[in-house]
Amino acid sequence: SGGSLVAYAEAKTYSGSHGHIAHADATASDGGHALSEVVPKKKKLVLLGTGWAGMSFLKNLNNPTYEVEIVSPRNFFVFTPLLPSVTCGKVEARSIAEPIRNIIIKKNVDISFSEAECVKIDPQNKKIYCRATIDSHSKGEEEFAVDYDYLIIAVGAQVNTFNTPGVMENCHFLKEIDDAQKIRKNVIESFEKASLPSLSDEERKKILHFVIVGGGPTGVEFAAELHDFVNEDVVKLYPKVKDLVKITLLEATDHILNMFDKRITNFAENKFGRDGIDVKLGSMVTGINENEISTKARGNGKTSSTPYGMVLWSTGIGPRPLIKEFMKQIGQGNRRALATDEWLRVEGFDNIYALGDCATINQRKVMEDIAEIFRKADKDNSGTLTVKEFQETLDDICERYPQVELYLKNKQKRNIVDLVKEAKGDAAKQSMELNIEEFKAALSEVDSQMKNLPATAQVANQQGAYLAKCFNRMEECEKNPEGPPRFRGTGHHRFHPFRYRHLGQFAPLGGEQTAAELPGDWVSIGHSSQWLWYSVYASKQVSWRTRALVVSDWLRRFIFGRDTSGI
Ligand code: FAD
């Protein structure tokens, strides 16, 4: 536990002594040698995590004045958007993993890597405590402490079971490469098992009942992959059991793919209906045992239990134990992710940054900014704006806060009139002028949404690149602060605040069809978007090596079908 590690670290009297800092100190105190040999001590930057945020930070960092130490339980980066493709053998696991040392070796920065997980952060002493994740037989060596000047927390999140009984013991998850490989093995084994001669049809049906809990992008993509696999490969390879396969998708809310445009949601629901995927909306899972999954209908409270062969649990994410513990330590105990300011600094700390899925930007200033925009638009100081002026104001806000635009688009509220009508009810029909309070009321729902950016690779990737650029220009920016004047001066930061740019999102729906939602309210669904998906994901690979592997996997699948060996 974290506690025993602290005790252990104290017993060993670590004195700022892991890795290269000690080396710098030794140089400085090297007997009678001239002082001219003393190299200024590099600032130590510790990075936790080698996922999207960590990898992007690392790839973009090129300031050799830092000494970087990476701590992560895995020594590779995973291209998570292709994990669902691994579950049914479309892409090989190896093809979407890039060894972190391949990235380190190309950098002109002093970087070291430890395959370990951080188990405790001690901000007072600027120290983290770590435990190696590789087997170590020599006692004690598997635990160590690292000092830092700057700490960058990019540890991602973990699956959220919402404390539903039996989920941990009986479900599959799809978060890591291991998970995808386990699912793949289980899928193939299910077909082999169902083909054994000793079973009854009832038993076969149970084994071949695949249940997916959660109608978000991952659940939907897995359902589509599985359906394609059954249609394209199982029919040929396991003809006797092909008609016994059932895929059920359970979603607690009223629609799948909630975060997508309504047109995409409708198309996906209709397509799955035609494909024979049983989409059960408003269906809450209440428990899972070895044989059955129990659900409760949201509308009428009716409960039912269904036998299953395999369940994938994909309902969202929650904080990792390290983050939960750290939040408690720093008084953020009741949050779902670490709160940072717009410069990605953990609230209350100048030298600790958090990004990606483990963090959320606390944008308390959003409403103040909006009020400021309102006041500027109110040229005659009347305290009211016409709807036309509101629309222009809203455009201004959308430009500054892409989350607002994203939210309005997702809710199909493309113009202010809809928002105003909603806030004022019938009164809006009589008066199409609003004062600031009414305007704020119209935006209040948006305000609560604006606080959270989506937990996506796109956000993590942009945050990593942003932070690396800040560190690259740290000294220069200290001398010449940039950003709007109101952000300069004491208490503020030297850099422009982080701004997210939404580049669009994809939802692969199977049958070589993908739904694409791109900036500018552009929605495209079908085969052409599938080709766009192939090209975007090929181009977004982090190295030419993984790009070549992924593209050759796709070609292999087109020519020879999926690999059904289950290894
Ligand atoms: P991660 O990428 O999860 O990386 C976290 C890193 O921290 C890992 O290296 C982990 O080993 C390490 N770590 C964990 N604990 C510790 C510890 N205690 N100490 C040190 N290191 C630690 N997003 C999109 O934008 N588009 C998509 O199409 C998409 N598809 C997805 C499909 C799937 C199946 C999944 C699971 C996610 C998908 N996402 C997608 C979401 C995206 O993967 C995440 O938002 C993204 O990975 C978040 O990046 P991160 O760096 O915060 O965390």
Side-chain angles (χ1 to χ4, degrees):
S1 72
S4 70
L5 267 167
V6 179
Y8 163 81
E10 278 162 2
K12 297 251 307 189
T13 56
Y14 279 99
S15 53
S17 62
H18 187 65
H20 311 268
I21 280 186
H23 167 76
D25 289 347
T27 319
S29 60
D30 190 13
H33 286 288
L35 270 175
S36 57
E37 281 181 31
V38 175
V39 200
K41 197 167 139 186
K42 287 185 173 183
K43 290 259 189 205
K44 175 109 175 220
L45 198 158
V46 172
L47 167 65
L48 304 181
T50 48
W52 273 99
M55 179 279 307
S56 163
F57 177 82
L58 203 57
K59 277 201 103 176
N60 288 283
L61 184 76
N62 52 33
N63 184 343
T65 63
Y66 294 104
E67 179 200 343
V68 181
E69 172 137 5
I70 308 167
V71 175
S72 178
R74 59 172 207 223
N75 72 349
F76 53 88
F77 160 80
V78 178
F79 193 88
T80 48
L82 290 183
L83 272 178
S85 303
V86 175
T87 57
C88 295
K90 194 170 174 181
V91 166
E92 290 304 319
R94 198 170 281 280
S95 308
I96 61 166
E98 179 67 9
I100 210 71
R101 287 178 193 276
N102 282 0
I103 298 174
I104 293 175
I105 205 165
K106 294 185 191 125
K107 308 296 300 181
N108 64 342
V109 186
D110 179 4
I111 304 175
S112 59
F113 173 80
S114 301
E115 192 171 289
E117 64 173 338
C118 170
V119 289
K120 189 171 172 62
I121 299 166
D122 175 0
Q124 271 73 38
N125 297 307
K126 295 193 193 167
K127 220 185 254 288
I128 58 161
Y129 297 98
C130 309
R131 184 186 299 128
T133 41
I134 24 181
D135 288 339
S136 171
H137 297 298
S138 44
K139 216 173 156 237
E141 262 180 30
E142 65 274 13
E143 294 178 348
F144 58 93
V146 183
D147 295 287
Y148 63 80
D149 293 305
Y150 295 104
L151 178 64
I152 295 169
I153 307 174
V155 297
Q158 64 180 25
V159 287
N160 196 348
T161 66
F162 300 98
N163 293 326
T164 313
V167 173
M168 266 329 215
E169 302 81 2
N170 301 303
C171 293
H172 280 275
F173 305 101
L174 186 50
K175 199 80 187 71
E176 299 288 339
I177 280 227
D178 282 356
D179 299 333
Q181 281 172 314
K182 271 189 214 151
I183 293 174
R184 177 172 168 181
K185 205 164 174 352
N186 198 321
V187 168
I188 307 286
E189 275 174 3
S190 300
F191 284 100
E192 292 300 351
K193 208 164 151 193
S195 306
L196 292 174
S198 53
L199 299 181
S200 68
D201 265 5
E202 225 28 61
E203 287 167 314
R204 289 197 177 103
K205 272 187 190 161
K206 176 180 177 298
I207 293 167
L208 295 179
H209 185 199
F210 298 94
V211 181
I212 296 133
V213 185
T218 302
V220 164
E221 193 175 343
F222 176 65
E225 279 289 341
L226 197 58
H227 173 264
D228 281 0
F229 174 56
V230 173
N231 258 13
E232 293 163 16
D233 298 270
V234 168
V235 282
K236 290 182 241 149
L237 300 170
Y238 304 90
K240 281 190 193 141
V241 299
K242 70 176 180 9
D243 296 328
L244 305 176
V245 181
K246 185 172 178 199
I247 304 172
T248 303
L249 179 59
L250 303 173
E251 166 57 44
T253 67
D254 294 338
H255 290 286
I256 58 170
L257 295 178
N258 271 315
M259 62 299 294
F260 281 80
D261 191 283
K262 283 275 170 305
R263 288 167 281 181
I264 294 180
T265 303
N266 291 342
F267 182 89
E269 285 171 2
N270 291 335
K271 179 175 188 303
F272 277 12
R274 287 194 302 275
D275 288 348
I277 297 173
D278 188 8
V279 180
K280 289 199 160 82
L281 300 170
S283 195
M284 307 253 307
V285 175
T286 51
I288 303 176
N289 65 27
E290 271 177 23
N291 297 306
E292 285 183 330
I293 178 161
S294 306
T295 54
K296 185 174 168 188
R298 234 171 29 125
N300 55 17
K302 213 177 130 204
T303 55
S304 59
S305 292
T306 324
Y308 71 84
M310 185 187 135
V311 179
L312 171 73
W313 185 268
S314 170
T315 58
I317 52 172
R320 291 191 187 276
L322 171 76
I323 299 299
K324 270 193 218 157
E325 182 59 38
F326 185 50
M327 287 195 294
K328 245 195 253 162
Q329 235 174 298
I330 61 171
Q332 293 190 7
N334 45 14
R335 303 190 64 99
R336 280 185 305 167
L338 264 174
T340 71
D341 62 16
E342 290 172 279
W343 294 267
L344 311 185
R345 293 175 301 184
V346 174
E347 287 195 337
F349 297 93
D350 260 355
N351 61 341
I352 305 182
Y353 296 77
L355 51 162
D357 284 2
C358 67
T360 172
I361 301 176
N362 205 354
Q363 299 200 11
R364 275 178 305 209
K365 287 195 225 72
V366 174
M367 267 307 174
E368 286 166 35
D369 270 14
I370 288 176
E372 181 64 32
I373 294 172
F374 180 96
R375 273 190 284 275
K376 275 195 192 138
D378 180 18
K379 291 197 182 75
D380 58 359
N381 276 335
S382 64
T384 57
L385 296 184
T386 63
V387 168
K388 187 168 174 288
E389 285 168 331
F390 272 126
Q391 183 61 62
E392 285 161 14
T393 311
L394 190 68
D395 290 344
D396 212 2
I397 293 167
C398 287
E399 197 177 310
R400 188 171 299 189
Y401 296 104
Q403 302 97 297
V404 180
E405 189 173 17
L406 198 63
Y407 173 78
L408 293 176
K409 251 178 63 189
N410 289 345
K411 293 283 167 189
Q412 303 278 297
K413 288 177 191 160
R414 278 184 198 79
N415 68 59
I416 189 71
V417 179
D418 292 342
L419 286 170
V420 172
K421 277 188 182 157
E422 226 172 69
K424 290 186 75 170
D426 280 346
K429 288 179 194 132
Q430 284 125 42
S431 153
M432 285 310 243
E433 284 197 342
L434 284 193
N435 64 36
I436 178 73
E437 288 316 316
E438 289 167 324
F439 184 49
K440 277 189 179 176
L443 282 177
S444 64
E445 195 193 342
V446 183
D447 184 44
S448 63
Q449 300 286 325
M450 279 187 298
K451 290 198 170 87
N452 295 320
L453 281 171
T456 60
Q458 213 180 127
V459 171
N461 194 39
Q462 288 182 26
Q463 288 183 331
Y466 161 83
L467 198 58
K469 277 176 200 149
C470 291
F471 274 93
N472 288 343
R473 306 179 57 219
M474 190 76 97
E475 297 105 80
E476 188 194 328
C477 290
E478 266 168 12
K479 285 182 214 130
N480 311 297
E482 61 170 304
R486 67 202 163 90
F487 289 138
R488 296 182 195 162
T490 48
H492 290 305
H493 206 269
R494 304 159 285 257
F495 314 110
H496 254 289
F498 170 73
R499 290 281 176 257
Y500 171 59
R501 237 181 99 226
H502 187 62
L503 301 173
Q505 49 190 356
F506 287 110
L509 301 171
E512 293 298 310
Q513 295 196 58
T514 284
E517 197 182 316
L518 299 174
D521 199 22
W522 194 76
V523 166
S524 157
I525 309 169
H527 298 286
S528 53
S529 313
Q530 179 69 40
W531 286 104
L532 186 65
W533 182 92
Y534 281 125
S535 26
V536 169
Y537 282 173
S539 73
K540 292 279 173 201
Q541 291 301 315
V542 293
S543 72
W544 280 102
R545 192 187 68 87
T546 54
R547 192 168 295 129
L549 289 174
V550 164
V551 172
S552 64
D553 284 351
W554 287 336
L555 286 173
R556 171 187 51 74
R557 205 265 308 181
F558 275 123
I559 301 167
F560 303 108
R562 289 169 181 78
D563 179 349
T564 54
S565 59
I567 42 170

